[in-house]
């Protein structure tokens, strides 16, 4: 549930690096870079990393597990664990060698993926703080808090503001980056755990009030609200003039940019929950249910093209689209490839490998 994170295992989604590699968590505190075509490992953190500690050279993972996705800036990668350990690792150009310029402790729990802007990494925490970190040296520049309470969805930087949702206060607010004060705050969207995304001039928020909300990015006023059949926990996908969103009630909706329904697809069976975000791959909308069901839909009509089932898998993380495939990370850290045209599945790496 959403009451808290007990015995955290981490459900960070796989992410594509600028060089095309897929970065995926393989166990708490460790990540692996994988060639998407062959599935071969390119490098592994921390196994290929040597850092000084006293007179010995040892391999040191990030402490804790990852819910936040990695953040990329050219050859730099930022990893932050639930336990609040933030590390920068750098790739050497033209090789798979990596170095670890700095690792810091934030002393706060982190679920939301940070955002990068202007040489600062903005890390939202479960205490409601937004911690700004200098990306060059890892020094904490500021710690601002508009409201106490958990931030679980990735914030959005829009102009001079950072827009975030507060799960406990059931608010969405815009924080001025210059001084940490609120530019606006609204309770119109309710409690949210999804990332904040833009759609034109609107900010889209998936909510636990079983709705998708569009807010004015400048003033926070409500533009429209679409009532769905369950919690909207995944980040809505905006593709051209259409918004796609899944629900924990087991439906996927296609909406116009002004919130009008185009179609609805509903998955049958027990607990058909769509927690993850949908992805669009080569003209197929791929949606992932928590109990291991992956479905390919026609994005224009919502008609099912194929359906695959992955045995003994729980899928909380959002899928990653790479070329004509979708990569899925299970809660046990296995990596699965799904062909977006046929639904054929392939296990790339097992749990804990």
């Amino acid at each position: 549930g959403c009451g808290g994170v007990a015995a955290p295992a981490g459900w960070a989604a796989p992410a594509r690096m600028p060089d095309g590699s897929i970065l995926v968590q393989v166990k708490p505190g460790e990540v692996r870079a994988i060639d998407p075509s062959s599935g071969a490992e390119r490098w592994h953190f921390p196994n290929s990393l040597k850092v000084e500690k006293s007179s010995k050279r040892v391999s040191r993972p990030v402490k804790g597990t990852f819910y936040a996705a990695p953040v990329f800036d050219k050859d730099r990668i930022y990893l932050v664990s639930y336990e609040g350990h933030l590390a920068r690792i750098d790739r050497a150009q033209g090789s798979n060698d990596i170095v670890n310029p700095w690792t810091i402790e934030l002393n706060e729990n982190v679920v939301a993926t940070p955002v990068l802007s202007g040489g600062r990494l903005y890390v939202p925490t479960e205490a409601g703080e937004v911690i700004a970190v200098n990306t060059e040296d890892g020094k904490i520049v500021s710690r601002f808090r508009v409201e106490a309470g958990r931030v679980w969805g990735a914030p959005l930087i829009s102009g001079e503001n950072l827009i975030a949702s507060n799960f406990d206060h059931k608010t969405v607010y815009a924080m001025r980056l210059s001084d940490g004060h609120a530019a606006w705050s609204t309770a119109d969207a309710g409690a949210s755990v999804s990332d904040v995304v833009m759609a034109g001039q609107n900010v889209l928020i998936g909510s636990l009030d079983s709705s998708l909300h569009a807010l004015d990015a400048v003033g926070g006023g409500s533009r429209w609200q679409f009532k769905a059949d369950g919690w909207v926990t995944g980040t809505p996908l905006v593709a051209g003039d259409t918004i796609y969103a899944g629900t924990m009630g087991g439906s996927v909706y296609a909406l116009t940019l002004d919130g009008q329904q185009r179609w609805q697809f509903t998955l049958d069976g027990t607990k058909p929950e769509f927690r993850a975000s949908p992805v669009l791959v080569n003209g197929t909308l791929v949606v992932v249910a928590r109990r291991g069901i992956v479905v390919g839909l026609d994005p224009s009509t919502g008609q099912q093209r194929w359906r695959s089932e992955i045995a003994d898998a729980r899928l909380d993380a959002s899928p990653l689209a790479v070329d004509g495939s979708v990569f899925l990370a299970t809660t046990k850290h296995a990596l699965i490839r799904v062909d977006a045209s046929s639904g054929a599945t392939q296990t790339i790496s097992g749990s804990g490998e």
Side-chain angles (χ1 to χ4, degrees):
C2 293
V5 177
W11 59 58
R16 194 174 195 187
M17 298 175 58
D19 69 356
S21 300
I22 297 173
L23 196 65
V24 62
Q25 179 174 207
V26 292
K27 61 178 63 174
E30 295 187 22
V31 294
R32 172 187 291 167
I34 293 175
D35 184 309
S37 58
S38 67
E41 179 180 303
R42 289 178 171 170
W43 53 265
H44 194 116
F45 176 85
N47 285 0
S48 58
L49 173 69
K50 299 296 183 180
V51 295
E52 293 290 348
K53 186 176 182 183
S54 301
S55 60
K56 299 179 180 179
R57 296 179 70 85
V58 298
S59 182
R60 184 181 65 186
V62 177
K63 297 177 183 178
T65 191
F66 302 118
Y67 290 95
V71 176
F72 303 114
D73 181 18
K74 297 180 181 177
D75 292 320
R76 297 177 177 180
I77 306 164
Y78 303 94
L79 302 170
V80 59
S81 70
Y82 172 72
E83 288 75 5
H85 301 273
L86 172 63
R88 177 185 134 192
I89 57 178
D90 294 0
R91 289 274 319 287
Q93 288 189 354
S95 78
N96 288 327
D97 295 333
I98 56 176
V99 294
N100 180 207
W102 51 258
T103 300
I104 63 170
E105 295 189 16
L106 303 176
N107 298 312
E108 296 287 355
N109 294 133
V110 178
V111 171
T113 299
V115 290
L116 183 67
S117 178
R120 301 285 188 269
L121 191 70
Y122 295 92
V123 186
T125 75
E126 286 213 296
E129 281 191 307
V130 177
I131 303 174
V133 178
N134 187 311
T135 58
E136 291 300 322
D137 56 16
K139 298 293 179 60
I140 293 177
V141 178
S142 62
R143 304 179 79 114
F144 294 134
R145 178 160 54 196
V146 171
E147 301 167 339
R150 290 169 288 181
V151 177
W152 276 7
L156 170 76
I157 292 181
S158 176
E160 300 301 315
N161 295 330
L162 179 144
I163 303 175
S165 59
N166 186 310
F167 174 75
D168 294 304
H169 278 257
K170 302 181 181 180
T171 56
V172 179
Y173 63 83
M175 184 193 82
R176 293 199 298 263
L177 295 175
S178 58
D179 58 14
H181 293 160
W184 53 260
S185 179
T186 178
D188 288 342
S192 174
V193 297
S194 74
D195 298 346
V196 183
V197 295
M198 290 292 296
Q201 298 300 310
N202 295 334
V203 174
L204 292 182
I205 306 288
S207 177
L208 302 192
D209 69 358
S210 299
S211 297
L212 184 65
H213 295 265
L215 305 177
D216 174 44
V218 177
S222 178
R223 291 290 183 87
W224 52 260
Q225 175 183 355
F226 176 81
K227 192 68 174 178
D229 68 349
W231 292 356
V232 183
T233 57
T235 303
L237 169 66
V238 181
D241 62 355
T242 306
I243 300 166
Y244 301 99
T247 75
M248 293 289 279
S251 289
V252 179
Y253 294 89
L255 310 177
T256 63
L257 294 181
D258 58 359
Q260 301 301 307
Q261 180 176 317
R262 287 186 165 154
W263 53 255
Q264 176 183 355
F265 167 84
T266 301
L267 185 65
D268 59 0
T270 305
K271 293 186 177 180
E273 301 166 326
F274 290 110
R275 187 196 183 283
S277 304
V279 292
L280 195 58
V281 190
N282 291 350
T284 296
L285 186 72
V286 179
V287 292
V288 180
R290 297 179 87 186
R291 59 189 173 95
I293 298 176
V294 188
V295 181
L297 302 176
D298 183 322
S300 299
T301 65
Q303 293 297 308
Q304 179 176 303
R305 291 176 172 171
W306 51 258
R307 169 176 170 153
S308 298
E309 298 194 22
I310 304 170
D312 301 320
R314 175 163 165 164
L315 302 171
D316 283 336
S318 293
L320 172 68
V322 177
D323 300 324
S325 297
V326 172
F327 289 83
L328 308 172
T330 74
T331 55
K332 293 183 178 179
H333 309 308
L335 184 66
I336 311 293
R337 178 196 282 128
V338 181
D339 184 278
S341 62
S342 66
T345 64
Q346 176 188 10
T347 300
I348 303 299
S349 61
S351 59
E353 291 182 6

